Amino acid sequence: MSASSVDSLDDVLAARLATQRERQRYRRRVTTTGKVAEKGGHLRREGRETLAFCSNDYLGLAGDPRLAQALAEGARRFGTGGGASHLVCGHSEAHEHLESRLAELAGCQRAVLFSSGYQANLGVISTLLGRGDVALHDRLNHASLLDATRLAGATLERYTHRDSDDCGARLSEVEAARRKLVVTDGVFSMDGDTAELEPLATHCERHRAWLMIDDAHGFGVLGAHGGGTREAQGLDPSRIAVTVGTLGKAFGTQGAFVAGSETLIDALIQFSRPYIYTTSLSPALAWATLTSLDIVRDEPERRVHLLSLIERFRRGAASLSEFDLHLTPSATPIQPLVIGSSWSTTGEGRQENRQGVNEAAALRLSAELESAGLWCSAIRPPSVPAGTSRLRFTLSAAHTHEDIDRLLSALFTTARRLSSARRRLA
Ligand code: PMP
């Protein structure tokens, strides 16, 4: 084949990029300057001060000077980088110590660290399942859990969001499968609602399936001790086979862990390729995360304050429904505002058009808030189902009640203005 008959790499990719632009799906990275959370949830966005409602720094620890100091101390003691994978010579005392503390927080026998939550999910599912096995997912699970199932080569099945009876019914359908893993987010990242773990555990026990929970957004935030969704719901840890937590959100650092039985963790260390073939998490970060754990334990008032912010926001935002903007049933710091169908009534009325308008409305609202100095994410398909584009606000203990009031006031002003502009056009 002559070289000229092969499409050039740039041509192939440029065509994909052009489609992405046409569909208004092209995403731009925004560069922040300066550090997070020095003054509450404020960030410098391309040189301009903004009040951010889009980070996962739920307890306001990412900019805490105590963590910065612990990170520097960790770097002096253990080095900035792990230098090798855990099974070669990259496993330090800092990692070992952090793993014990995380196992304790999760209420499990043992835990193992990964460099990110994405990697932890790949590492667990690809170790537990293979061809002929079934991973049964909540329909709104995080993308990394779906990718992990594909990597494992297992069959991917889904049950209706938060519907444990549907989960049970689907487990009956796959009764003959060799191994069955039910997988759920603890807190759903795009909706902020939580899985009901007890009925899921019961169905798993009845059908001899294993239960895995990815509590990336729950650890540190939910439960009296920050032990996550399981602690908040009072479920015995022994009823969950695998728990995943991340360190880049409430704990303000980076990385992730898997917690479970001694045997599960031993098997991951021996067999999990995403664990074995990668450099260990920075030991300095592992050391700093020990300070995060101390703060999570010793300063429950951060969680109490965060809860009061969530209540204040929900009380204030409920009446945005008059503008066809709807809160999801969430009691967590993830507070989305879904754009209702009346925002999509312009145009030809064709389905794609309506979806396009729904997405454009989310972008428009987010841009308007940005000009008022507020930063939030417009979440659109494929991250959420078509026609349910939304603004997703994430609250943090670094915010104040005044910050919430400022957000609410800007939301009402923007919604009122855009709604009357729409009415004039209609
Ligand atoms: N699981 C869930 C539910 C998440 O929301 C995320 C990240 N947003 C991850 C896993 C991935 O974690 P990490 O960012 O540490 O890779």
Side-chain angles (χ1 to χ4, degrees):
M1 199 189 290
S2 74
S4 59
S5 69
V6 177
D7 288 333
S8 88
L9 176 104
D10 279 358
D11 288 346
V12 171
L13 296 180
R16 276 178 68 185
L17 288 166
T19 312
Q20 191 81 342
R21 281 196 186 87
E22 274 160 29
R23 297 166 74 194
Q24 293 203 21
R25 296 258 172 101
Y26 187 85
R27 303 181 63 183
R28 208 170 64 81
R29 296 180 305 182
V30 177
T31 309
T32 60
T33 47
K35 82 178 176 197
V36 188
E38 189 170 26
K39 279 198 325 190
H42 290 251
L43 286 176
R44 284 190 77 73
R45 178 187 170 131
E46 290 172 339
R48 206 175 135 229
E49 183 92 3
T50 57
L51 181 56
F53 290 95
C54 49
S55 97
N56 301 318
D57 181 21
Y58 300 126
L59 295 180
L61 295 184
D64 193 299
R66 292 170 290 180
L67 261 69
Q69 203 185 338
L71 184 63
E73 186 194 311
R76 273 194 301 275
R77 284 176 72 156
F78 305 101
T80 46
S85 64
H86 284 276
L87 287 175
V88 177
C89 59
H91 187 71
S92 75
E93 198 186 330
H95 297 114
E96 190 66 24
H97 196 32
L98 180 58
E99 287 179 346
S100 316
R101 291 279 307 274
L102 289 168
E104 209 178 294
L105 181 67
C108 296
Q109 285 176 348
R110 198 174 167 194
V112 63
L113 287 167
F114 280 79
S115 301
S116 76
Y118 189 98
Q119 206 181 6
N121 284 336
L122 294 186
V124 173
I125 300 187
S126 66
T127 303
L128 299 186
L129 303 183
R131 286 169 74 89
D133 300 331
V134 171
L136 178 54
H137 289 262
D138 184 289
R139 190 161 283 283
L140 297 191
N141 273 354
H142 190 254
S144 58
L145 294 163
L146 306 181
D147 293 355
T149 304
R150 291 189 191 103
L151 176 66
T155 305
L156 196 158
E157 300 282 350
R158 285 163 147 163
Y159 61 89
T160 309
H161 177 51
R162 296 184 74 241
D163 186 341
S164 52
D165 287 340
D166 190 41
C167 173
R170 300 211 176 233
L171 279 173
S172 309
E173 287 165 14
V174 295
E175 205 75 65
R178 196 173 58 139
R179 294 175 189 144
K180 300 175 278 282
L181 181 71
V182 169
V183 190
T184 183
D185 284 12
V187 176
F188 291 90
S189 53
M190 296 300 143
D191 289 60
D193 49 356
T194 48
E196 281 179 36
L197 299 177
E198 207 287 329
L200 284 179
T202 302
H203 283 297
C204 287
E205 285 149 12
R206 194 169 297 146
H207 293 278
R208 298 169 59 81
W210 304 321
L211 178 58
M212 168 172 177
I213 163 170
D214 172 354
D215 209 10
H217 299 272
F219 267 104
V221 177
L222 304 183
H225 303 93
T229 307
R230 181 207 59 75
E231 192 197 10
Q233 298 184 4
L235 190 78
D236 194 281
S238 65
R239 299 188 65 195
I240 301 173
V242 187
T243 300
V244 173
T246 58
L247 307 176
K249 304 185 196 303
F251 296 100
T253 58
Q254 194 181 354
F257 63 97
V258 181
S261 69
E262 178 71 41
T263 311
L264 169 75
I265 304 309
D266 204 15
L268 290 174
I269 294 169
Q270 296 305 314
F271 307 127
S272 177
R273 294 170 65 87
Y275 178 76
I276 297 168
Y277 296 105
T278 193
T279 301
S280 63
L281 174 78
S282 152
L285 272 173
W287 188 251
T289 309
L290 286 163
T291 299
S292 312
L293 283 175
D294 289 344
I295 297 173
V296 164
R297 181 192 58 207
D298 300 337
E299 299 180 7
E301 62 273 19
R302 284 176 182 266
R303 284 188 288 282
V304 173
H305 174 59
L306 182 55
L307 277 178
S308 76
L309 298 175
I310 295 168
E311 274 165 26
R312 193 178 186 92
F313 177 74
R314 288 188 70 79
R315 226 180 306 119
S319 46
L320 281 165
S321 58
E322 109 187 44
F323 301 105
D324 205 14
L325 296 170
H326 305 278
L327 287 170
T328 61
S330 159
T332 71
I334 300 173
Q335 289 293 331
L337 201 55
V338 179
I339 317 278
S341 56
S342 72
W343 289 79
S344 319
T345 48
T346 50
E348 300 288 271
R350 281 173 44 226
Q351 193 61 21
E352 318 83 279
N353 241 341
R354 285 212 294 274
Q355 282 165 14
V357 178
N358 182 257
E359 292 181 36
L363 288 176
R364 180 78 200 278
L365 279 163
S366 156
E368 295 279 329
L369 291 173
E370 186 193 324
S371 46
L374 298 160
W375 192 358
C376 69
S377 325
I379 310 270
R380 298 173 293 147
S383 302
V384 290
T388 70
S389 295
R390 63 199 64 188
L391 295 180
R392 188 182 59 160
F393 303 99
T394 48
L395 309 186
S396 162
H399 291 129
T400 60
H401 285 181
E402 292 69 39
D403 291 337
I404 301 296
D405 293 346
R406 185 175 152 202
L407 170 63
L408 286 168
S409 147
L411 266 170
F412 275 95
T413 309
T414 306
R416 201 169 290 125
R417 190 155 37 79
L418 292 187
S419 289
S420 52
R422 269 190 308 128
R423 271 198 298 278
R424 276 200 304 279
L425 281 175

